[in-house]
Amino acid sequence: MFRGDDLGKWLCDQHRRWPQLKDEQRAVLLELRMGPATGDRRVTAAGAVRVPRSRAERLMEIVTAARQHLAEVGPLVGEDGRRCVHDTYRSRVGGIEVQLRRRLNAVRSRYPTYPHSGRRCSKASACPGPRR
């Protein structure tokens, strides 16, 4: 605290607004060694703080990556109901690299009503997907 102001909050706000700061403001902060940390995962290589994306934006990234996969490689699911997305497949959506298989697995594990890939479950209670 300095004269009633929380310097930590102020500095955090400066880092959050780093791209909007004027060059002179950035130079002063860098001279004082108060620029954004380069090892911070919220900071990109250019020094701009990453803004968290909403759930809708992240889901749209998955949809866009799935469309790219369909155009470049083929369908996400084969005739036997198994996923055809390879581990190494990555697409760029809005400058962000999307690991489609990992994202699809995360969605599947997060939402138990997400449709299964056609595998049969031995017990009905172990199969949270729609019954066929």
Side-chain angles (χ1 to χ4, degrees):
M1 297 289 280
F2 179 74
R3 296 186 184 173
D5 291 329
D6 187 346
L7 293 178
K9 285 183 181 180
W10 176 83
L11 186 58
C12 191
D13 187 46
Q14 301 309 307
H15 292 172
R16 196 175 300 115
R17 297 182 319 119
W18 190 262
Q20 290 83 28
L21 294 178
K22 294 180 181 176
D23 291 335
E24 298 85 24
Q25 293 171 310
R26 285 188 209 152
V28 169
L29 286 171
L30 289 173
E31 187 177 323
L32 295 171
R33 301 183 73 173
M34 292 185 175
T38 56
D40 192 344
R41 65 179 178 79
R42 296 170 297 170
V43 178
T44 62
V49 178
R50 281 186 6 202
V51 177
R53 297 180 316 278
S54 69
R55 178 178 287 165
E57 289 172 323
R58 292 190 311 261
L59 287 174
M60 282 310 298
E61 288 171 4
I62 296 172
V63 170
T64 305
R67 287 181 179 157
Q68 288 178 3
H69 184 277
L70 181 63
E72 295 171 5
V73 179
L76 300 175
V77 180
E79 291 179 12
D80 60 350
R82 295 187 145 193
R83 284 171 290 177
C84 299
V85 180
H86 198 270
D87 293 347
T88 59
Y89 180 78
R90 295 189 181 14
S91 61
R92 295 200 73 71
V93 177
I96 298 171
E97 185 178 81
V98 177
Q99 298 176 3
L100 185 58
R101 184 175 180 134
R102 194 186 99 221
R103 294 268 192 106
L104 290 174
N105 287 337
V107 168
R108 178 167 290 189
S109 68
R110 194 170 296 125
Y111 300 103
T113 58
Y114 190 78
H116 274 261
S117 61
R119 292 175 289 170
R120 302 269 179 196
C121 297
S122 58
K123 297 179 183 177
S125 62
C127 187
R131 293 188 180 152
R132 296 182 184 167

